[in-house]
Each structure stands twice: as C-alpha cells, then as structure tokens.
C-alpha cells in the first residue's frame, strides 16, 4: 500500500479512521507481569502481522500500528508520557521520487553512462521547496572518504573547491579495511561517525557540493546492495525544516562498485589505486577528467505527522528523573516493485522484537509495588528507518529536560537465539552504564563482550545515537555472541544468516520456532539493570575522553537534576 500523504491538519482524521478500523488489525495478547518468551513472541507476532503492512510511518496501517502500541501501553498499566497523551507528534516531509520521470547520467569522454535505477544506482533529493530538482553538468571530483576530522589531522577537502560539483565518496573510514588496522589511526577497526553515510552527505553539503555519490562496497558498508536499494528506492522522509532543506546537497545517492569502476576507467583513472591512495595521509582530492553529472529529479512532496509513542511508569519518589527503554516501531512498509510475491516488509526482528521487548519490560515495571523511585519511560520511535528522524525530533524537542534523563537502553533488531555466556554491547567502552550492567550480568555468570564487528559502525546506526549526541548516556545491547550451544561460531552463524537473508527484506517475518531463551535472559538482565538504576542516586556519565562527555557535562552543570 502506498504512503498516504496527509496534511498536518488532517492527521486527526487519519487517527480516527485507524481507530475506527481497529477490528481489522491484530488484537492484544493475554500477557503476565513476568518476563516470558510467550509474551514477547505474542507481541512480536501481532506487531509484525501483514495487516500492519510493514509499519510505514504516515500510512494508515503504519499509524494503526502506533495506535496498537499505545493501546497496549494503556492495557499493561503505563501512563501517557506526553501531558495526557501516549503520542509525541513528529512533523515530517515525504519526498517520493518518481523514477519513471527522473534521470541521472554521467557524461564522459568516451560516451554517456546511464546507470539503471535501482539496480546500478539509487538517488534522491532532501530538498522540498519544489517538486523538481535539477543538476546540470556538475564536474566529478573524487574526494576519498569525504572526511574532515581535525582531531585526526585529516581533511579530504583540503585544497579543492567542490561548490556546484559532484563529489564521489568511499564508504566507511580511512584505514578501516586494513588487514591489521592501526588502533591509533581513526579508531582502527572500529568505525567512527565519519564513516557513516549520513555524515558524508552532511560534509558534502558544508562544502557546497551539487551532488554527493557514495560508492557501495559490501564489506566496508556491512550490507549488500539489496539493502541500499530496498532502503532508498522508495519514499524518503525528513523532518519538516523551515529552510525546506535548502542547506543540504540537492542530489544524494549511491552507485554500485561495478558502476564506479566503469566511471573511473572512462576517466583514465584506476579505482583500486585511488582507493589505496585515499587511505594514506596526504591524500588530495582528484578531479575526474571529462566527467560530469546531470540529473533531473521529479518527486511528489507530502507533509505528514507521524508519532513517537511514549508510556511511563511514574517514579514513587523522584518521578521527574527518567530511565529510558527505547525501540523503533516503524519499518519499510510495502514495496510494490520488489521481486517476488511477498512485498510486505514485516520487520519482525527489525524491530518488532525491540518493541515487544520494551513493552514486556514496561509491563514488569508497571506491576512493581512500589514503583521504582525514578520514572521508567518506554518509548517507541517512529521513522528510524528514515535516518532516525523520530529520535532526532525527540532529542531536539525532549518531553523532559535532558538533564533529567538518567540514561537508557535502546533495543534494535535483537535476533532471537539461545542463551549465551556474554552480552554484546555495541560501542562498548563508552559510558559508566556498562559498569552497572557488567555487575548485573555477573549474577547470570555472563560478561560484556565488545562488538565483534566494530567496523560496521553499529553504534551510529540506531536511535540511541540521537540521544548520545545531546549527551544522554545510552546502551546498545545486542544479545549474546558466545552461545552456550555452539560458542562464538554459532553466534556468528545466527547473525550472518539474518544479515544475509532477512535484514531489510520481506523475509524478516515472525517465526514461531524461534529459540527465545536468550532473549528472556537478556530482558531479565536489562530489567534488573534498569531497576537498580531507577532506585539509585547515580547519574552515570560517558567515560572521560568520549566524544559525548563534554555535552553531558555542560547540560548537567547548566540545569541540575530535579526529582520533582
């Protein structure tokens, strides 16, 4: 089902319509206050049902899913989190590229290159002042990794003017793909924020580029082309900015590795050699002789209001201080042009499992007597799949002062698996929250394991980073890796199977045969962690030297916490 583009003034009508058709959506399971596999499974089965049509924000079925979550929060005893409402409205803009009436081509000295959409390229515009955006004859410049990082003495844009030009960019960080990465060169194997594709477009905009094209490679990107295609060939959404995103790059996109190699060869350049050069200090951006980009993008622009869903267990002694459990409720919706009969992206793992898990935790806390001293907030974000927009909006418009948020846990795409000797923390070594969690895990004879694949930059790819950027300490736990049955080989196999065959694909569907024992053990640990934090006077911080420490220190000094 295509997105319903709804003006903000008509959003209430959509909500009423969704509520009126509640009988056509899944019912609510009969759950208990105890943390059980049956409860989590029942919720996941419901929230990933075909009737929610892949939970696309702004669609009737997607917003019905958010209503289902709000109703479930009420059923299990959570109070509305936003002045009597379970919803925080998030105003956004949908920009739907009309691929049939859009074009992107490279002029070269040999002949024009017309990459096929979406097999060889995907592209879009974040700008919404007009339905038509055009770039004409913008010269190509290879800017390596497109990074400006003063702390690493690195500037890929040094000595080059790219205003009005097309920048061609590598994914990830310099040095990241070395067989033995230098831990003192950027972060060695671990990806930094500079490696994120979102950063690369942001930096290109700061330098006035007319177009920014990223070269996709599966290993450094950590996902195949099908993920890029599926995530970017449909509607793109943005927060409703006053400048209509005029400050952003007019044309953003990706090309396949084969397309990039062809493009470089036509310019008389060797892609492999230039990539190697881009990993060395002193690299200088390289113009691509005789090559330009021209593009015309025709899009349908629609304003919508989607919503974060927020429920709270009010603290018994310091209700004005909050411990967060968060997960995103949205997924990719329906894609009519996808191959095969199944065109619904149900997102049972990503992120029906996260929603089901934090609701299970919320129900447990709601039945505690007395309630924890601090409030427990259960937040389901919208538009995570559209560049974390729901959590970004909350970070920019927090429901409570940021200095009153103690810290939190974000769950995203945690794969059901058996029990483990450990719990992986993505972005480990970041905050004092890890010390508390490590003590809890000892009671289960478990330990914290750093992310086994830090090169994928997982810490920068989900909603917790929106909170981290504004200083709030957050954890990103990913379940066990060293499984009791099969060890790390089995843990890797579980992750690889999901990543290769189900991530951002229609096959991410509920499976009643999942082994939920590890999920329950994880939730038991995360419940105890949150309970101890909520009943303490501790205000955890980022570790010294962490990039978010200064932000947290500043906000805490400016507005001390209040227990009111």
């Amino acid at each position: 089902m295509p997105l319903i583009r709804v003006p903000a003034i008509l959003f209430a009508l959509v909500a009423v319509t969704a509520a009126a058709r509640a009988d056509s959506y899944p019912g609510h399971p009969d759950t208990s206050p105890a943390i059980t596999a049956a409860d989590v499974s029942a919720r996941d089965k419901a929230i990933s049902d075909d009737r929610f049509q892949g939970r696309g924000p702004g669609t009737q079925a997607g917003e019905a899913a958010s209503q289902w979550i709000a109703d479930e929060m009420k059923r299990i005893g959570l109070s509305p989190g936003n002045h009597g409402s379970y919803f925080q409205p998030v105003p956004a803009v949908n920009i739907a590229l009309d691929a049939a009436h859009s074009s992107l081509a490279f002029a070269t000295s040999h002949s024009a290159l017309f990459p096929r959409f979406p097999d060889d390229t995907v592209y879009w515009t974040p700008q919404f002042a007009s339905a038509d955006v055009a770039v004409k004859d913008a010269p190509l410049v290879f800017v390596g990794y497109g990074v400006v990082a003063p702390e690493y003495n690195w500037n890929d844009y040094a000595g080059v003017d790219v205003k009005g030009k097309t920048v061609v960019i590598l994914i990830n960080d310099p040095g990241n793909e070395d067989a033995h990465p230098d831990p003192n060169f950027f972060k060695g194997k671990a990806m930094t924020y500079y490696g994120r594709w979102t950063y690369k477009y942001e930096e290109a905009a700061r330098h006035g580029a007319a177009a920014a094209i990223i070269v996709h490679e599966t290993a450094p990107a950590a996902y195949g082309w099908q993920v890029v295609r599926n995530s970017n060939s449909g509607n793109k959404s943005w927060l409703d900015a006053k400048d209509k995103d005029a400050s952003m790059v007019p044309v953003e996109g990706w090309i396949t590795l084969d397309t990039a190699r062809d493009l470089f060869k036509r310019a008389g350049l060797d892609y492999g050699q230039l990539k190697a050069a881009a990993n060395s200090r002193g690299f200088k951006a390289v113009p691509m002789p005789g090559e330009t980009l021209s593009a015309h993008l025709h899009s349908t622009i629609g304003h919508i209001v989607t919503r974060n869903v927020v429920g709270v267990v009010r603290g018994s002694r310091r209700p004005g201080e909050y411990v967060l459990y968060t997960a995103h409720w949205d997924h990719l919706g329906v894609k009519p042009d996808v191959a095969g009969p199944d065109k619904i992206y149900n997102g049972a793992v990503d992120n029906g499992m996260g929603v089901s898990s934090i609701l299970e935790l919320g129900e447990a806390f709601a039945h505690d007597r007395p309630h924890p001293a601090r409030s427990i907030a259960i937040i389901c974000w919208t538009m995570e799949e559209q560049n974390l927009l729901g959590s970004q909006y909350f970070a920019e418009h927090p429901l409570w002062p940021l200095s009153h948020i103690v810290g939190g846990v974000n769950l995203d795409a945690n794969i059901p698996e058996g029990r483990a000797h450990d719990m992986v923390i993505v972005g480990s070594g970041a905050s004092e929250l890890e010390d508390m969690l490590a003590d809890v895990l000892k009671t289960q004879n478990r330990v914290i394991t750093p992310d086994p694949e830090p090169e994928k930059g997982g810490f920068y790819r989900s909603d917790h980073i929106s909170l981290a950027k504004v200083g709030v300490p957050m954890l990103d736990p990913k379940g066990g890796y060293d499984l009791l049955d099969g060890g790390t080989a089995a843990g890797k196999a579980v992750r690889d199977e999901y990543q290769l065959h189900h991530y951002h694909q229609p096959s991410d569907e509920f499976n009643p045969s999942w082994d939920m024992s590890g999920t329950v053990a994880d939730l038991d640990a995360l419940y105890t962690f949150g309970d101890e934090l909520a009943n303490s006077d501790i205000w955890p911080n980022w570790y010294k030297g962490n990039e978010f420490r200064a932000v947290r220190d500043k906000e805490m000094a400016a507005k001390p916490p209040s227990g009111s």
Side-chain angles (χ1 to χ4, degrees):
M1 184 173 68
L3 277 177
I4 300 173
R5 290 164 188 84
V6 188
I9 58 174
L10 296 182
F11 183 74
L13 178 60
V14 175
V16 169
T17 302
R21 299 184 60 238
D23 59 345
S24 67
Y25 296 110
H28 293 268
D30 182 14
T31 57
S32 70
I35 295 173
T36 69
D39 287 358
V40 179
S41 294
R43 289 194 180 97
D44 189 66
K45 181 180 180 181
I47 202 65
S48 60
D49 190 280
D50 275 359
R51 287 171 286 181
F52 285 132
Q53 296 282 285
R55 303 189 304 278
T59 66
Q60 181 169 292
E63 296 305 323
S66 71
Q67 183 66 56
W68 187 96
I69 294 168
D71 292 343
E72 182 69 358
M73 287 181 174
K74 182 177 181 179
R75 185 187 72 83
I76 63 178
L78 304 185
S79 300
N82 186 17
H83 304 287
S85 174
Y86 287 101
F87 299 115
Q88 180 188 34
V90 179
V93 176
N94 275 327
I95 305 178
L97 179 75
D98 183 351
H101 296 91
S102 299
S103 63
L104 182 147
F106 297 99
T108 79
S109 58
H110 293 275
S111 62
L113 178 61
F114 299 93
R116 298 167 300 162
F117 182 99
D119 297 321
D120 304 318
T121 183
V122 289
Y123 54 89
W124 60 88
T125 180
Q127 299 185 355
F128 54 93
S130 170
D132 292 278
V133 172
V135 171
K136 185 173 176 59
D137 300 329
L140 268 61
V141 180
F142 174 61
V143 294
Y145 289 88
V147 170
V148 177
E151 67 272 36
Y152 296 118
N153 192 28
W154 193 275
N155 187 349
D156 284 325
Y157 287 92
V160 62
D161 182 0
V162 299
K163 289 181 180 178
K165 299 179 181 179
T166 298
V167 290
V168 180
I169 314 170
L170 300 172
I171 194 64
N172 218 312
D173 289 323
N176 187 268
E177 293 181 74
D178 292 351
H180 303 287
D182 181 353
N184 297 314
F185 185 53
F186 283 74
K187 287 188 178 179
K189 185 179 180 181
M191 196 183 89
T192 72
Y193 184 64
Y194 296 117
R196 282 287 287 149
W197 56 269
T198 50
Y199 162 79
K200 295 174 188 295
Y201 295 134
E202 292 166 4
E203 194 60 55
R206 283 188 280 271
H207 290 270
I213 305 297
I214 296 175
V215 178
H216 172 265
E217 292 192 55
T218 297
Y223 37 76
W225 179 255
Q226 79 280 0
V227 174
V228 177
R229 181 190 63 217
N230 294 346
S231 301
N232 297 292
S233 58
N235 296 349
K236 301 284 288 183
S237 297
W238 314 86
L239 294 181
D240 196 348
K242 290 182 179 179
D243 73 344
K244 300 184 186 300
D245 287 343
S247 61
M248 299 180 72
V249 177
V251 176
E252 301 176 348
W254 294 71
I255 55 175
T256 64
L257 178 58
D258 286 344
T259 301
R261 285 173 170 159
D262 187 9
L263 198 58
F264 277 65
K265 184 177 180 180
R266 290 169 184 242
L269 303 171
D270 184 287
Y271 175 81
Q273 289 181 359
L274 281 179
K275 180 179 178 180
N279 280 273
S280 302
R281 290 197 179 279
F283 167 78
K284 299 294 183 184
V286 178
M288 301 179 69
E291 297 194 336
T292 62
L293 177 143
S294 293
H296 172 255
L297 282 65
H298 179 71
S299 305
T300 300
I301 300 169
H303 293 260
I304 67 167
V305 178
T306 180
R307 47 206 184 170
N308 295 324
V309 192
V310 186
V312 172
V313 177
R314 295 293 175 194
S316 58
R317 289 189 286 117
R318 298 191 300 282
E321 300 173 4
Y322 294 85
V323 174
L324 310 185
Y325 289 96
T326 74
H328 72 90
W329 64 257
D330 66 302
H331 199 52
L332 301 178
V334 179
K335 293 184 179 292
D337 59 346
V338 70
D342 188 0
K343 302 180 187 303
I344 300 174
Y345 287 70
N346 302 83
V349 171
D350 183 15
N351 189 28
M353 188 59 62
V355 170
S356 303
S357 294
I358 66 170
L359 287 172
E360 184 75 349
L361 291 167
E363 185 174 22
F365 281 113
H367 285 80
D368 280 350
R369 294 296 182 271
H371 284 173
R374 289 164 160 164
S375 292
I376 303 290
I378 307 296
I379 307 179
C380 294
W381 311 113
T382 187
M383 304 187 96
E384 188 271 353
E385 302 290 3
Q386 297 289 347
N387 198 20
L388 320 180
L389 296 185
S391 56
Q392 177 186 333
Y393 187 82
F394 179 94
E396 295 174 358
H397 306 87
L399 297 179
W400 320 289
L402 295 172
S403 61
H404 293 191
I405 301 176
V406 183
V409 174
N410 182 59
L411 298 181
D412 189 1
N414 287 36
I415 306 168
E417 61 183 4
R419 297 196 62 170
H421 295 289
D422 63 347
M423 179 182 286
V424 170
I425 299 298
V426 178
S428 60
S431 84
E432 295 163 357
L433 291 174
E434 296 170 42
D435 302 328
M436 296 187 66
L437 181 60
D439 288 340
V440 171
L441 289 174
K442 287 177 184 178
T443 67
Q444 294 184 340
N445 295 315
R446 301 172 69 186
V447 297
I448 286 178
T449 293
D451 184 0
E453 298 175 307
E455 67 278 7
K456 293 183 177 180
F459 189 73
Y460 305 102
R461 290 170 55 183
S462 191
D463 290 299
H464 52 271
I465 191 63
S466 297
L467 278 298
K469 284 180 178 179
V470 293
V472 178
M474 296 291 293
L475 284 176
D476 179 19
K478 284 294 182 188
Y481 191 76
D482 183 7
L483 303 185
L484 269 61
D485 185 7
T488 56
K492 183 177 187 301
V494 168
R495 283 158 173 75
D496 288 350
E497 197 274 337
Y498 175 76
Q499 187 74 28
L500 291 173
H501 301 296
H502 306 296
Y503 175 61
H504 280 202
Q505 299 184 53
S507 58
D508 185 359
E509 297 187 291
F510 174 74
N511 186 341
S513 66
W514 278 331
D515 182 352
M516 300 288 290
S517 59
T519 299
V520 171
D522 292 344
L523 292 180
D524 283 338
L526 294 175
Y527 168 83
T528 302
F529 162 81
D531 187 59
E532 292 185 359
L533 183 58
N535 283 300
S536 75
D537 296 320
I538 297 172
W539 286 87
N541 203 340
W542 302 95
Y543 292 136
K544 291 182 179 179
N546 183 275
E547 63 244 65
F548 308 118
R549 173 75 180 232
V551 180
R552 185 62 165 177
D553 287 346
K554 183 177 180 180
E555 72 192 12
M556 296 298 283
K559 189 175 178 107
S562 169
S564 61

